[in-house]
Amino acid sequence: MTFRLLGPLTVSGAPAPGGPRARALLALLLLDAGRTVTAERLVDGLYGDEPPAGAANALQSQVSRLRRALPDGVKVEHSPAGYRLTGAGADGVDALRFERLAREGARAGAAGDPVRAEGLLREALALWRGPALADVREAPYAAGQAARLDALRLDTLEEWAAALLAAGGDPAPLVPELARAAAAHPLRERLRALQMRALAGAGRQAEALAVYEEVRGALAEELGADPAAELTAAHLAVLRGEEPGAARAAGASRLPVPLTDFVGREREREQLRALLASARLSTLVGPGGAGKTRLAVEAVGDGGTGAGVGGEAVFVDLAAVGPGEVVAAFARALGVRDASPYGLVRALADRPLLLVVDNCEHVVAEAAGLVRELLAGCPGLRVLATSREALGITGESLLPVGALAPGAAAELFVRRGAAARPGFAGHARVPEICAALDALPLALELAAARLRTLTVDQIADRLGERLGEGFGEGFGERIGERSREKSPADSGTSARDEPRADSGAGPGEKSPAGSGTGPREKPRAGAGAGPGEESRTRADDGSGERLAERFRLLSRGDRTAPERHRTLAAVVEWSWELLGAEERELAARFSVFRGGATAEAVARVCGVEQADAEDVLASLAEKSLVEAGAFDTGTVRYRMLETVRAFAAGRLPTGDPAPAAHTAHHLALARAADPRLRGPAQLDWLARLDAEDANLRAALRRATAHAPADALRLVAALTPYWWLRGLRGQVAGLAAELLDAVDGAGIGPEAAGLGEEYVLCVLAAGAGAMGPHSERLDRARTLLTSRTEPLRQPFTAYLWATAAGPGERPEARLPLPDDPWTRALGLAGQGHLALGQGDVPAARAALTEALAGFRALGERWGTATALEGLAGLSPDPLPLFAEALELFESLGVAEDIVDLLGRRAAVHEAAGDTGPAAADRARAAAVARRAGLPEPG
């Protein structure tokens, strides 16, 4: 049942029943559908300041007439508090639905998601068919309510225009809409500013400038005022030829926000901005510790805001990825569900975007191939990469980044030293320290942190001993010449760099990996023992063993290897030797983590009490070897700089239990999360697993290499998480590698009691398990259908049925677990099957019972699935669709969102509601494009 107030008053497409006063009463109740309205308010709304004698009886008479005219299922209920209209639902009243969509769209825009905001706001505006409350304007209450709705409509129009421009949409359709609104509100400055941006974006700059002059003159003549900042900024943007969405693109930027001030590199920053304006692919190359990431963030975004170059900017950090994982890292950063090059191209094809791709060096060949493919298929895309060496793509523009200038290096040391020791303002030997450390920002920051416990003289003396430098008389006179030799402008610093820190990097900023395999090496096997497996000498990826090799990369290709190539390693070693034995032991064991960890996890994996772990981690953070910050879950997490992590991994003793404990801990975490993903804490546990994603993948890689049986158990435990988060495409490669490892190890899943785990791994691998290995699917089918004991993973039967298709019904013969979620899912499956067979009563009964079961559990995905099924049986499906859509959106399952929007659009089309139908179709297409899914039909 749908009621329309935004235009002529109608009920499910037909004119509202009853006389003028009954319609006015209906509209007044609809504005508060589902809520109680007092009798006094109804009397005031219907009769105004001159109510008739016996107003209460008159109201009761009108209510009686309205009740007789209302369709079945819609009632006017009475209570001592007043009257309440039931059966309409919030989404059954177009005015209430409009207000909800407008609020959600505004929130999405403020949260930096202009694509979602644009779809919601367009859907809201499409609900209007004429003036609000057009049929009941004579009622005393109508003028005030209509004015309120009209004002909200104008606000929504402005929000929609801003979102469309920020999302890079076609501004041409905006021009007539904004022109009509501007004619009615000529001095509304935000509206006129958006009108200017839309005209400029449509290539009509002269008209945009004329709008500014018109408004400026009217403001001066009528109000004696000058244009406000927003209108002036729009005028300046038109004069500069900026993209129309530039003002809002900054809000959507995902660049890391620096926590410290930026020191030096003004010339390089301007050079980089010039490159970004003229080249589609720019790469910052240079030695580790030079500050490539910080320079990129500063040049792109004026300190991370994204405003420096205009347009949307997205940050892709490859620090924690290994070979074969680059595409998945891009997909995660972009929010694209299809983790394939084709899916990324489809998602970015029409999107003006700058990708900042950080830490390419250890996966340079894979990153270069993907960047080439994306640039070829996405004309609006630009890429800024940071790497030890060039990507080697035709058209690539390089900017070497080397040592800081002498003055900037000294300033950085003094600023960071003042943070470590308040009151520190410099020292005569600071230039000596800077030169000894080659003026590299990471080395300077590590050294400055020592001012908490050492004097400048002690630091200089120890650096001289550690680095083999004699500072003697006249050393300061050589600093200027030495620094000039190392400057990027004069020397063309090598693109193959050592591990680095950002110039001015501080706690909370990411440091690149530089660990793992070299750019041309074969994929590494995970290291470290899993539960019950052999332990390995070093950390999980063996990066500590290859620390010296990382620095030798400077001598590759046509570049020479300068003498300073060992400097950063020496500084890290020096910082390491200043640690106490307890700090060194925990730091070495901490190196097995990827993506950081909580103190609780560190304590469990490193074999210490949590209080001791917190104390040592705090000490390491104070010494700039570990970063601490609150991340998405609100829990403090600790992360080691990748340069230090690689060094620490090399100090992990042979046979140390930390790698095995890391795998065991994350297997236990995944198993603990599994049942909670089917209950009321679903969102909390999804967020917790999101925070541990890099660690879970590292544990899976390690177990794949050394304990495939444990890896199968981990895949089974993580299956619901991957499904609910839409990560199946991103883990298919890992699952396929695990199947190869199982085959290579000669593991018999049946004998090992891992038949169900093997089936889930085959399903996770998808196409990767087929091809030359199609016998794996047959093996999985046999393992599943010959099973006698109940399945341990409730998702198994559902996923198998989804993969096998309608011709195969394993639920009819599989021994299912006897738990509430499985029972509810089975009922939902029965309902859909009955619906397909035309048995509507059986379908409704099964789906209704399934819905009750899922609601009792508090599980969102199952609840939404049951609601969607019931919507197909309801005469009024829109409220059910709305609730299901809200649940799917809370989980972020793009596939389900797209499918549901398509079904709801079909309902609108069948009812002749072309506006809402078009809005749903457009919104579904936008969601699909954003997630890299096929265009919906």
Side-chain angles (χ1 to χ4, degrees):
M1 193 67 61
T2 55
F3 296 85
R4 296 190 165 184
L5 300 174
L6 305 179
L9 180 61
T10 64
V11 179
S12 292
R21 190 149 282 159
R23 290 197 300 272
L25 175 61
L26 173 61
L28 185 53
L29 289 169
L30 285 170
L31 288 169
D32 283 285
R35 296 190 293 268
T36 299
V37 184
T38 65
E40 291 77 11
R41 184 177 162 203
L42 291 174
V43 169
D44 289 343
L46 292 176
Y47 302 108
D49 296 332
E50 299 179 358
N57 291 332
L59 175 61
Q60 290 178 1
S61 177
Q62 294 296 336
V63 169
S64 296
R65 293 190 185 97
L66 179 59
R67 283 171 172 158
R68 290 193 296 271
L70 286 174
D72 293 340
V74 182
K75 299 178 181 179
V76 179
E77 298 179 348
H78 179 258
S79 71
Y83 294 87
R84 182 166 70 104
L85 186 74
T86 64
D91 271 358
V93 182
D94 62 351
L96 301 183
R97 186 173 174 220
F98 164 73
E99 292 186 56
R100 179 181 64 80
L101 290 169
R103 286 193 302 271
E104 291 179 1
R107 283 198 296 265
D113 190 351
V115 172
R116 182 168 185 265
E118 191 275 334
L120 290 167
L121 296 166
R122 177 160 32 85
E123 181 181 352
L125 292 169
L127 294 171
W128 285 75
R129 299 166 296 110
L133 305 173
D135 290 352
V136 296
R137 282 295 177 100
E138 299 302 320
Y141 73 86
Q145 289 288 347
R148 179 183 67 83
L149 290 168
D150 288 340
L152 182 56
R153 182 185 189 183
L154 186 58
D155 291 342
T156 304
L157 175 65
E158 291 177 344
E159 290 292 335
W160 173 57
L164 188 146
L165 293 173
D170 182 7
L174 282 179
V175 173
E177 294 285 346
L178 295 175
R180 282 191 290 270
H185 306 276
L187 297 183
R188 190 172 171 109
E189 291 188 68
R190 188 189 185 203
L191 175 66
R192 304 309 297 272
L194 290 165
Q195 183 186 19
M196 291 173 60
R197 292 185 182 277
L199 285 166
R204 298 158 64 175
Q205 285 82 358
E207 294 176 60
L209 295 174
V211 167
Y212 177 77
E213 293 301 326
E214 173 195 335
V215 179
R216 185 178 64 83
L219 287 170
E221 182 177 346
E222 298 184 27
L223 304 178
D226 293 325
E230 185 170 8
L231 191 65
T232 302
H235 179 237
L236 187 60
V238 175
L239 291 174
R240 290 174 173 172
E242 293 178 2
E243 291 291 328
R248 291 294 298 272
S253 173
R254 304 174 201 173
L255 295 174
V257 179
L259 302 181
T260 56
D261 51 344
F262 186 64
V263 180
R265 302 220 186 279
E266 289 80 9
R267 181 179 62 176
E268 292 97 325
R269 178 167 54 185
E270 295 310 312
Q271 288 175 331
L272 179 54
R273 285 182 175 169
L275 279 181
L276 292 173
S278 60
R280 294 189 62 205
L281 172 60
S282 306
T283 304
L284 296 176
V285 293
K292 299 184 291 296
T293 301
R294 183 63 185 270
L295 175 59
V297 169
E298 290 292 332
V300 170
D302 283 334
T305 67
V309 297
E312 184 184 11
V314 173
F315 189 80
V316 183
D317 189 2
L318 301 182
V321 309
E325 300 173 2
V326 170
V327 175
F330 273 65
R332 284 194 297 273
L334 290 161
V336 174
R337 304 294 281 266
D338 183 356
S340 68
Y342 175 70
L344 292 172
V345 170
R346 184 167 54 203
L348 303 181
D350 300 315
R351 186 172 167 187
L353 181 70
L354 172 64
L355 279 183
V356 181
V357 186
D358 198 27
N359 306 307
C360 298
E361 52 269 6
H362 59 299
V363 286
V364 65
E366 188 177 349
L370 180 58
V371 167
R372 181 190 297 111
E373 191 166 350
L374 292 177
L375 289 172
C378 308
L381 180 67
R382 292 172 295 157
V383 175
L384 169 59
T386 73
S387 180
R388 285 197 295 252
E389 60 182 321
L391 299 187
I393 300 174
T394 301
E396 181 183 23
S397 295
L398 301 181
L399 179 62
V401 182
L404 287 170
E411 182 182 1
L412 177 62
F413 184 91
V414 170
R415 289 194 189 185
R416 300 300 180 259
R421 182 196 294 173
F424 177 71
H427 190 278
R429 298 189 71 181
V430 167
E432 297 178 7
I433 294 173
C434 294
L437 298 178
D438 290 324
L440 294 177
L442 173 60
L444 294 172
E445 292 188 342
L446 290 172
R450 294 294 166 240
L451 287 176
R452 297 187 183 100
T453 56
L454 300 176
T455 67
V456 174
D457 285 328
Q458 287 174 316
I459 292 174
D461 291 340
R462 292 196 183 188
L463 278 176
E465 296 168 3
R466 175 60 55 196
L467 303 173
E469 293 277 61
F471 284 162
E473 287 187 18
F475 181 84
E477 298 174 4
R478 301 194 297 272
I479 295 173
E481 179 64 25
R482 184 174 175 185
S483 298
R484 282 192 295 274
E485 291 174 358
K486 301 172 189 300
S487 73
D490 299 332
S491 67
T493 304
S494 171
R496 297 179 175 90
D497 63 338
E498 306 160 347
R500 67 94 177 111
D502 300 331
S503 173
E509 296 178 46
K510 291 185 177 181
S511 209
S515 61
T517 60
R520 311 300 182 195
E521 294 173 2
K522 296 178 181 178
R524 68 182 183 276
E533 35 179 297
E534 291 185 9
S535 61
R536 186 179 162 177
T537 302
R538 299 303 184 206
D540 57 325
D541 61 359
S543 56
E545 298 176 359
R546 295 189 297 275
L547 184 61
E549 181 181 348
R550 288 157 52 89
F551 291 94
R552 284 197 298 272
L553 288 173
L554 289 170
S555 62
R556 283 189 177 181
D558 295 332
R559 303 176 181 88
T560 60
E563 291 181 359
R564 66 178 182 273
H565 76 286
R566 299 174 67 94
T567 298
L568 190 55
V571 171
V572 176
E573 183 179 5
W574 166 70
S575 299
W576 181 268
E577 292 185 358
L578 290 177
L579 299 176
E582 187 180 21
E583 291 172 325
R584 277 196 291 247
E585 181 180 38
L586 187 124
R589 290 179 172 176
F590 187 89
S591 68
V592 302
F593 286 96
R594 304 305 300 264
T598 64
E600 179 185 4
V602 172
R604 290 179 181 273
V605 170
C606 298
V608 298
E609 295 294 329
Q610 184 168 339
D612 294 335
E614 290 171 348
D615 289 343
V616 177
L617 287 168
S619 178
L620 292 173
E622 290 174 358
K623 296 172 182 177
S624 299
L625 293 175
V626 166
E627 298 172 339
F631 293 84
D632 294 342
T633 60
T635 302
V636 175
R637 291 179 66 83
Y638 297 87
R639 183 178 60 239
M640 186 174 278
L641 298 174
E642 278 299 316
T643 296
V644 180
R645 195 194 71 80
F647 187 94
R651 280 8 185 214
L652 194 65
T654 301
D656 192 276
H662 179 272
T663 301
H665 172 75
H666 288 92
L667 176 56
L669 173 66
R671 284 175 160 173
D674 176 22
R676 293 171 173 86
L677 295 180
R678 295 183 289 278
Q682 186 177 54
L683 294 182
D684 293 338
W685 278 88
L686 285 172
R688 184 169 176 181
L689 292 179
D690 288 342
E692 300 296 342
D693 184 60
N695 278 314
L696 291 165
R697 292 169 190 258
L700 180 56
R701 286 193 295 268
R702 184 188 301 116
T704 296
H706 297 284
D710 283 334
L712 286 173
R713 296 183 181 99
L714 186 54
V715 165
L718 289 174
T719 290
Y721 167 63
W722 292 339
W723 176 267
L724 292 172
R725 276 295 192 235
L727 299 176
R728 288 156 287 167
Q730 298 181 18
V731 299
L734 288 174
E737 290 178 13
L738 174 54
L739 291 172
D740 290 340
V742 169
D743 292 345
I747 295 175
E750 307 94 325
L754 297 171
E756 184 178 356
E757 288 78 0
Y758 183 87
V759 171
L760 289 169
C761 192
V762 170
L763 293 174
M770 309 309 159
H773 302 291
S774 58
E775 68 275 5
R776 289 173 175 167
L777 185 61
D778 296 332
R779 185 182 189 184
R781 181 182 290 106
T782 301
L783 288 169
L784 199 58
T785 56
S786 63
R787 187 182 182 90
T788 56
E789 65 275 12
L791 296 170
R792 292 186 293 271
Q793 173 53 262
F795 257 94
T796 302
Y798 172 75
L799 294 179
W800 181 264
T802 302
E808 206 171 319
R809 289 186 55 214
E811 71 278 3
R813 54 183 176 274
L814 289 183
L816 300 177
D818 186 21
D819 65 279
W821 189 88
T822 301
R823 289 195 294 272
L825 186 65
L827 287 165
Q830 293 171 22
H832 284 288
L833 183 63
L835 186 61
Q837 295 172 345
D839 190 348
V840 173
R844 181 180 287 109
L847 288 168
T848 300
E849 189 176 352
L851 177 61
F854 285 128
R855 285 196 192 280
L857 291 169
E859 201 273 293
R860 290 167 173 77
W861 178 81
T863 301
T865 301
L867 285 167
E868 189 176 13
L870 285 170
L873 302 172
S874 173
D876 186 20
L878 295 180
L880 299 175
F881 277 137
E883 184 181 356
L885 182 61
E886 183 178 355
L887 292 169
F888 281 144
E889 287 180 335
S890 73
L891 294 169
V893 282
E895 299 92 337
D896 292 310
I897 293 170
V898 170
D899 180 65
L900 190 148
L901 286 169
R903 294 187 61 192
R904 192 170 71 175
V907 171
H908 285 309
E909 289 163 351
D913 298 336
T914 56
D920 275 348
R921 297 283 185 201
R923 185 174 168 193
V927 172
R929 283 195 301 271
R930 195 80 173 183
L933 298 173
E935 192 76 15

